[in-house]
Amino acid sequence: MMRSPTFRTLTIPVLALALLAGGAGVALAGYEEGVAAFKAGRYDQAAREFQAFVDQRPGIFEGYYMLGQSLTRLNRSREALSHLQEALKLKPDHVGVQLILGKTYLDVGRYSDAAGLLGKINAGSLPKAQQGALYQMLAMALEKGGDEEGAAAQLGQAARVNPEDAEIQFQYGILALKIGDTDRAIAALAKATQLDSKDAAKQRAYAQALVRKGRTTTGTAKIATYEKAVVAGKVVAAGNPSYDDLMLLAGAQLGAKQYDGALSTLQRAASKNAGDWLPQFYLGQAYTQKGQFASAESSLRQALDKASSSSDKMKIWQNLGLVYEKQKKYDDSIAAYRQANDSASVQRVQENKDTAEYNKAVEAEAAEIKRLQEEQERIKEELQALPGGPPPGF
């Protein structure tokens, strides 16, 4: 199952503090000290200085703005909210406070408020670094609020303005795949793996997207898609892979018709999780494709012993029915298809059995006729060889 995007921690660049330090009424006791402490990373001191400032001068935007920022840096987001909201009241169009308040809404789980505020910002008015941050925050707010398609659109914008950011491409690919936009997901994840080829998580997501695409593709494109998934899957399965990583690679290999590789990978997977039926099930499929029906039957029987749910067992019986059918073991095939509740296959195999038995009877009758004819010819030849020739009328 694909996981939801893990949005990285977003840091909003602090807008030029020099601008905040200037202006009438700002150069008061506490404010400049607060700015200096903030710049030096002493956020506790900065918060105290700005708190004293707003207590003395409650109507000044810069005091609330910097107090809110200081508190967010101290992870005191709920305390910061009221101060940032007050700053927004004083300057409703100030992009800096809109960005920081929007992020603070995200931090405290007020996703609808975050989306509403951040959605009003004109992204084109921001530097590219802040454009990407805005789109990411909007994506997070929308995704957490249940609008995954809207979130994907915002992440797509973030990916567009940050084409060399592997993490943003990865986040976009994951969410695009989650909403079923497989083509866009593959494109974004391919870009992410190009930018960060050693990250197993990115390669894993890329392989998963390709496998999903392969299931809905036909012809040569299907094989090509699975072959790309094999390449990514091998990166994931290098070193000491997990059971899931091996199963992902095996699925890609099966789709690419690389059956020998799939057999090897599935055997490794089975050794890591001996109790699971899936490796044996897929081993059965790989052996079937190679025409090794005895091995296929053995693997599927093992899968049947390990499976617990009735639906899983029915899948295995279905494949066993096919293995028996290919070997013309009609009675075994019919029994297996009945276990799978596949009446259509039961009927088909029964018809094939009847046809085979009819053909066998016809062949036997033809063979008997031929035998009688040969016997008659033999007797005729023997009679002709007798002195005086064959009897009259023979």
Side-chain angles (χ1 to χ4, degrees):
M1 180 179 292
M2 298 300 299
R3 61 189 177 91
S4 297
T6 302
F7 292 95
R8 63 183 177 181
T9 301
L10 301 174
T11 301
I12 307 304
V14 179
L15 300 182
L17 292 173
L19 295 176
L20 300 180
V26 176
L28 298 174
Y31 185 83
E32 290 183 346
E33 293 83 352
V35 169
F38 188 95
K39 287 182 175 180
R42 300 192 302 272
Y43 301 120
D44 276 322
Q45 180 186 348
R48 290 194 297 271
E49 298 288 357
F50 291 128
Q51 183 66 63
F53 180 82
V54 299
D55 288 344
Q56 296 173 27
R57 294 288 187 275
I60 297 178
F61 164 82
E62 288 82 356
Y64 292 109
Y65 182 37
M66 293 307 299
L67 176 55
Q69 287 199 71
S70 301
L71 291 170
T72 60
R73 295 299 177 94
L74 293 168
N75 295 319
R76 292 160 60 182
S77 297
R78 293 193 181 279
E79 295 177 60
L81 271 180
S82 61
H83 302 294
L84 292 171
Q85 289 168 334
E86 190 64 31
L88 187 64
K89 289 179 184 177
L90 293 168
K91 289 192 176 181
D93 297 326
H94 193 284
V95 175
V97 73
Q98 290 174 336
L99 284 170
I100 295 168
L101 179 55
K103 183 180 183 300
T104 306
Y105 279 139
L106 283 175
D107 291 340
V108 300
R110 291 175 58 173
Y111 304 119
S112 178
D113 290 332
L117 178 60
L118 295 170
K120 296 176 181 177
I121 299 175
N122 177 13
S125 67
L126 301 174
K128 278 196 172 182
Q130 288 186 334
Q131 286 183 37
L134 171 62
Y135 290 133
Q136 284 184 282
M137 288 193 297
L138 261 172
M140 183 185 295
L142 292 168
E143 194 265 347
K144 294 290 187 181
D147 183 2
E148 292 178 339
E149 291 193 2
Q154 295 300 324
L155 276 179
Q157 293 279 44
R160 180 182 58 79
V161 299
N162 295 276
E164 302 304 311
D165 190 318
E167 194 63 27
I168 291 178
Q169 301 293 333
F170 175 57
Q171 293 169 3
Y172 176 43
I174 290 289
L175 191 52
L177 189 63
K178 187 177 179 183
I179 65 172
D181 195 343
T182 309
D183 290 335
R184 291 186 187 277
I186 289 174
L189 292 169
K191 181 71 172 177
T193 57
Q194 291 167 8
L195 294 168
D196 190 4
S197 61
K198 295 182 179 180
D199 188 332
K202 293 180 178 63
Q203 294 284 356
R204 183 181 297 110
Y206 182 44
Q208 288 171 333
L210 288 166
V211 167
R212 185 176 297 183
K213 177 70 173 178
R215 291 173 185 155
T216 59
T217 309
T218 59
T220 57
K222 185 182 190 76
I223 302 298
T225 300
Y226 276 120
E227 286 174 345
K228 290 180 183 178
V230 170
V231 174
K234 285 182 176 179
V235 176
V236 177
N240 184 28
S242 69
Y243 168 76
D244 289 338
D245 290 339
L246 289 169
M247 291 299 291
L248 173 62
L249 173 58
Q253 289 170 322
L254 285 171
K257 298 187 177 182
Q258 299 177 10
Y259 300 121
D260 289 332
L263 288 172
S264 176
T265 303
L266 287 164
Q267 287 159 356
R268 293 172 63 194
S271 70
K272 286 183 175 286
N273 190 350
D276 196 356
W277 65 278
L278 274 173
Q280 297 300 331
F281 177 70
Y282 289 126
L283 279 167
Q285 292 188 330
Y287 281 127
T288 300
Q289 293 298 324
K290 286 175 64 66
Q292 298 178 12
F293 300 121
S295 297
E297 181 181 348
S298 174
S299 294
L300 290 170
R301 284 288 179 182
Q302 291 183 60
L304 198 59
D305 290 339
K306 297 175 188 296
S308 56
S309 75
S310 59
S311 60
D312 292 340
K313 287 180 180 291
M314 287 174 67
K315 291 178 185 177
I316 300 167
W317 280 117
Q318 183 77 28
N319 279 261
L320 271 169
L322 177 62
V323 169
Y324 289 133
E325 185 177 358
K326 285 183 174 293
Q327 298 176 85
K328 294 183 170 54
K329 295 181 178 179
Y330 298 117
D331 289 336
D332 291 335
S333 180
I334 289 169
Y337 282 134
R338 281 178 177 158
Q339 291 284 353
N341 198 25
D342 185 351
S343 58
S345 292
V346 168
Q347 182 178 352
R348 182 187 68 248
V349 175
Q350 183 64 57
E351 290 172 355
N352 290 340
K353 178 187 176 184
D354 293 342
T355 300
E357 289 176 349
Y358 173 78
N359 290 338
K360 185 177 180 181
V362 169
E363 290 171 2
E365 184 177 353
E368 179 64 15
I369 292 172
K370 183 179 179 182
R371 186 190 68 78
L372 292 173
Q373 288 174 341
E374 290 174 349
E375 179 68 14
Q376 185 176 1
E377 288 297 321
R378 184 186 64 79
I379 295 173
K380 183 176 181 180
E381 290 174 0
E382 290 178 354
L383 291 173
Q384 286 175 340
L386 292 174
F394 186 82

